C-alpha cells in the first residue's frame, strides 16, 4: 500500500500531511516544493531546504527525493553569507546538499503534476526526476507557498486544487497509493488532511532583512527535529503544531493520524536521526504573510528613510489603484452600485470551479497580474467571482 502525504502552507490551498507505518518492502518517496521567488519570500525556500534536511538525515536517499525551488537565495546579492540559507535565528545552513531537480523557470505546476504522476516525458527543463512509486510505497509531499481559495501560487503561475485532485485520482487508479493526506479537501475515505487557514511569517533576521520561516512549517519541522520520529505520531505532531499555530485544522480519516511520523519523513529500515536540542525563540515576531513586504519596509525604516518613503508611497498608491480597479470591475459586471459593497466584502462559495479558473485567468490577463513586483507589494487578493 502506498500512502500519500501532502504537507504545506499557504492562504488558501495548502497541504500539511502525515500518515503510516510502511508495509512489506515499500520505499518512501518525497516531493518538496517552494512556490515563490525573491528575497522577501526567503522563508518558503528556507522551509523547503529544512524539510529536505529532515527526510535526508532520517534515511531517505536523494534518488527518492524531488526538490523544486527557484534557487535564488544562496547567491542573491542581498545574501551576506553566500551559500548559506537558515530557517531559524542562528540556525544551521539548511541549503547544503539540497538537490536541484527543478529550479528557476522549471518550478511550474505542470512539472509538479508530472512529477506526481511519474511522467518524466512531460517534464520541461528540470532533471526529469519523477516519482517511481508503487503500490507498497509511501509518498510525502510538502509545499511551502502563498495561495488563495482553490489555488496555490508557484513562482510564475498557479496550481489549481481540482488539477491536483485529478492527479491524485489518477495515482489512485494506477495503484500508486492507498491512503492520502491532503489539505482542504478529501478525495476518499482513506484521506487525512491538516491545514492552517492563515499563514504567518516568523523569525525576522535583522542582518538578512527578511523573515526566515513560515510559522506553520517551522512548527512541524522543529517538532520533527527534536522528537524521535519512530515514536512520534502524526496526531501528536498535529496537536503540537495546533497548540502553537493559529487556525490549524484536520480533516478526513483521522485514524491515519495514529501512524508514526517516520513512516513518511524517514526510512523504515534506517535508524532514526537522534533528536536535536533547539534553543527556544522567545519572540518569533509573527506577521501575516500578506503583510510581509510592508513589515520588512517598516523594520528597515531607520536605515533607509528615503527608500522607505518612496516604496511606501508606491505601496499605498498600488493599494488604491487595485481598490479602484476592483470597484470598476464589480460595477461593470453588476451595473448596480448597491450590490458593490457586499460583493467586495463577502466571501462567496465557488460553485463552478472551471468558471472560477477562467475568471482568474481573464482577470490576470486583462486587469492586472499579481506576479508583477509592483502589484505583489500591494497585497492583491484573488477575486472571489
Amino acid at each position: 500500500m502506498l500512502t500519500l502525504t501532502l504537507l504545506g502552507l499557504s492562504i488558501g490551498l495548502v497541504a500539511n500531511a502525515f500518515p503510516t507505518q510502511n508495509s512489506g518492502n515499500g520505499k518512501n518517496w518525497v516531493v518538496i516544493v517552494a512556490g515563490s521567488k525573491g528575497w522577501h519570500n526567503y522563508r518558503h525556500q528556507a522551509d523547503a531546504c529544512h524539510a529536505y534536511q529532515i527526510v535526508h538525515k532520517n534515511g531517505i536517499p536523494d534518488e527518492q527525493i524531488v526538490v523544486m525551488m527557484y534557487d535564488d537565495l544562496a547567491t542573491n546579492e542581498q545574501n551576506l553569507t553566500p551559500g548559506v540559507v537558515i530557517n531559524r535565528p542562528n540556525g544551521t545552513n539548511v541549503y547544503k546538499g539540497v538537490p536541484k531537480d527543478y529550479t528557476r523557470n522549471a518550478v511550474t505546476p505542470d512539472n509538479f503534476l508530472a512529477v506526481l504522476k511519474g511522467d518524466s516525458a512531460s517534464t520541461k527543463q528540470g532533471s526529469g526526476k519523477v516519482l517511481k512509486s508503487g503500490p507498497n510505497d509511501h509518498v510525502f509531499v510538502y509545499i511551502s507557498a502563498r495561495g488563495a481559495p482553490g489555488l496555490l501560487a508557484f513562482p510564475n503561475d498557479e496550481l489549481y486544487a481540482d488539477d491536483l485532485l485529478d492527479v491524485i485520482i489518477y495515482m489512485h487508479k494506477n495503484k500508486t497509493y492507498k491512503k492520502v493526506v491532503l489539505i482542504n479537501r478529501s478525495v476518499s475515505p482513506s484521506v487525512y488532511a491538516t491545514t492552517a487557514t492563515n499563514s504567518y511569517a516568523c523569525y525576522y533576521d535583522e542582518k538578512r532583512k527578511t523573515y526566515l520561516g513560515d510559522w506553520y512549517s517551522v512548527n512541524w519541522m522543529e517538532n520533527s527535529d527534536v522528537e524521535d520520529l519512530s515514536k512520534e505520531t502524526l496526531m501528536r505532531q498535529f496537536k503540537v503544531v495546533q497548540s502553537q499555530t493559529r487556525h490549524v485544522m484536520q480533516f478526513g480519516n483521522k485514524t491515519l493520524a495514529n501512524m508514526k511520523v517516520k513512516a513518511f519523513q524517514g526510512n523504515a529500515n534506517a535508524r532514526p536521526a537522534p533528536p536535536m536540542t533547539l534553543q527556544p525563540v522567545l519572540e518569533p515576531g509573527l506577521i501575516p504573510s500578506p503583510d510581509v513586504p510592508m513589515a520588512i519596509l517598516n523594520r528597515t525604516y531607520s536605515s533607509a528613510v528615503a527608500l522607505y518613503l518612496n516604496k511606501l508611497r508606491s505601496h499605498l498608491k498600488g493599494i488604491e489603484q487595485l481598490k479602484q480597479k476592483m470597484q470598476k470591475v464589480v460595477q461593470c459586471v453588476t451595473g448596480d452600485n448597491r450590490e458593490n459593497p457586499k460583493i467586495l466584502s463577502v466571501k462567496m462559495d465557488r460553485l463552478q470551479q472551471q468558471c472560477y479558473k477562467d475568471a482568474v485567468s481573464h482577470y490576470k490577463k486583462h486587469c492586472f497580474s499579481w506576479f508583477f513586483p509592483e502589484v505583489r507589494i500591494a497585497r492583491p487578493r484573488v477575486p472571489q467571482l
Side-chain angles (χ1 to χ4, degrees):
M1 86 181 158
L2 176 146
T3 305
L4 174 65
T5 298
L6 287 173
L7 213 178
L9 115 262
S10 117
I11 297 175
L13 165 78
V14 206
N16 182 15
F18 345 74
T20 350
Q21 285 68 275
N22 258 340
S23 62
N25 298 316
K27 297 179 179 179
N28 283 3
W29 297 80
V30 177
V31 180
I32 298 171
V33 180
S36 68
K37 62 182 178 180
W39 192 253
H40 67 288
N41 285 319
Y42 182 105
R43 62 196 184 279
H44 297 137
Q45 293 185 66
D47 290 340
C49 290
H50 188 177
Y52 165 78
Q53 300 299 340
I54 290 172
V55 297
H56 177 75
K57 73 180 181 181
N58 281 287
I60 300 181
D62 283 0
E63 57 264 28
Q64 291 163 218
I65 304 172
V66 180
V67 178
M68 305 181 72
M69 65 177 186
Y70 204 78
D71 195 25
D72 60 347
L73 300 184
T75 58
N76 195 293
E77 62 180 10
Q78 292 179 265
N79 192 346
L80 302 180
T81 56
V84 174
V85 175
I86 62 176
N87 197 216
R88 75 184 328 259
N90 302 311
T92 59
N93 182 14
V94 295
Y95 182 76
K96 184 178 180 180
V98 177
K100 312 299 191 304
D101 296 304
Y102 298 87
T103 62
R104 304 289 170 164
N105 292 332
V107 184
T108 65
D110 288 343
N111 276 345
F112 170 66
L113 296 176
V115 167
L116 293 182
K117 294 173 69 175
D119 184 6
S120 180
S122 295
T123 62
K124 298 179 180 179
Q125 298 185 52
S127 68
K129 188 194 295 186
V130 297
L131 294 184
K132 297 181 180 179
S133 54
N136 293 318
D137 297 343
H138 287 177
V139 176
F140 179 79
V141 180
Y142 168 59
I143 308 170
S144 181
R146 298 167 294 121
L151 62 82
L152 187 64
F154 272 57
N156 296 303
D157 210 340
E158 305 89 21
L159 170 67
Y160 287 92
D162 61 333
D163 293 332
L164 174 58
L165 295 178
D166 285 345
V167 169
I168 292 175
I169 292 171
Y170 169 90
M171 295 172 70
H172 178 71
K173 290 180 178 179
N174 285 272
K175 302 183 185 303
T176 56
Y177 74 81
K178 186 176 181 180
K179 301 178 181 69
V180 179
V181 174
L182 175 66
I183 272 196
N184 258 3
R185 187 190 263 176
S186 296
V187 183
S188 74
S190 57
V191 172
Y192 172 68
T194 77
T195 181
T197 56
N198 291 311
S199 172
Y200 291 85
C202 64
Y203 297 162
Y204 184 79
D205 188 290
E206 294 289 349
K207 181 172 70 174
R208 292 173 174 82
K209 293 181 173 56
T210 192
Y211 288 87
L212 303 180
D214 171 87
W215 191 230
Y216 183 47
S217 295
V218 160
N219 278 317
W220 78 257
M221 287 189 285
E222 292 188 352
N223 175 262
S224 290
D225 283 332
V226 303
E227 297 294 339
D228 182 341
L229 301 191
S230 65
K231 298 178 181 179
E232 184 80 336
T233 65
L234 300 173
M235 177 57 75
R236 174 171 165 74
Q237 186 169 87
F238 168 77
K239 288 185 177 298
V240 169
V241 174
Q242 185 183 47
S243 70
Q244 301 180 48
T245 311
R246 304 174 189 177
H247 311 297
V248 179
M249 297 175 289
Q250 58 179 340
F251 306 92
N253 186 349
K254 298 176 185 177
T255 63
L256 302 185
N258 295 319
M259 301 171 181
K260 299 297 191 292
V261 174
K262 184 184 176 184
F264 291 91
Q265 297 177 20
N267 184 338
N269 299 317
R271 179 177 298 178
M276 299 171 58
T277 299
L278 297 176
Q279 295 299 319
V281 179
L282 299 180
E283 180 47 63
L286 303 184
I287 189 78
S289 286
D291 295 335
V292 165
M294 190 69 174
I296 293 175
L297 289 177
N298 283 332
R299 286 178 173 271
T300 56
Y301 172 80
S302 60
S303 60
V305 175
L307 178 62
Y308 171 87
L309 291 176
N310 287 335
K311 289 191 174 183
L312 177 61
R313 294 188 189 97
S314 175
H315 178 84
L316 296 176
K317 181 179 179 181
I319 291 176
E320 184 60 30
Q321 289 176 340
L322 296 188
K323 184 186 297 183
Q324 292 176 2
K325 179 75 73 173
M326 281 303 304
Q327 291 172 343
K328 184 177 180 181
V329 169
V330 172
Q331 173 64 26
C332 180
V333 172
T334 66
D336 187 350
N337 286 325
R338 294 172 299 177
E339 291 294 318
N340 290 359
K342 176 182 177 182
I343 294 175
L344 289 168
S345 62
V346 177
K347 182 178 180 181
M348 301 181 182
D349 293 334
R350 291 178 290 104
L351 301 179
Q352 299 185 35
Q353 181 63 24
Q354 186 57 50
C355 179
Y356 176 70
K357 292 171 64 175
D358 292 342
V360 171
S361 177
H362 185 87
Y363 193 90
K364 185 174 69 172
K365 180 178 180 180
H366 296 285
C367 298
F368 65 80
S369 172
W370 33 84
F371 293 111
F372 294 156
E374 63 272 18
V375 173
R376 279 204 302 268
I377 201 172
R379 295 184 58 190
R381 303 288 188 181
V382 175
Q384 296 294 299
L385 302 180

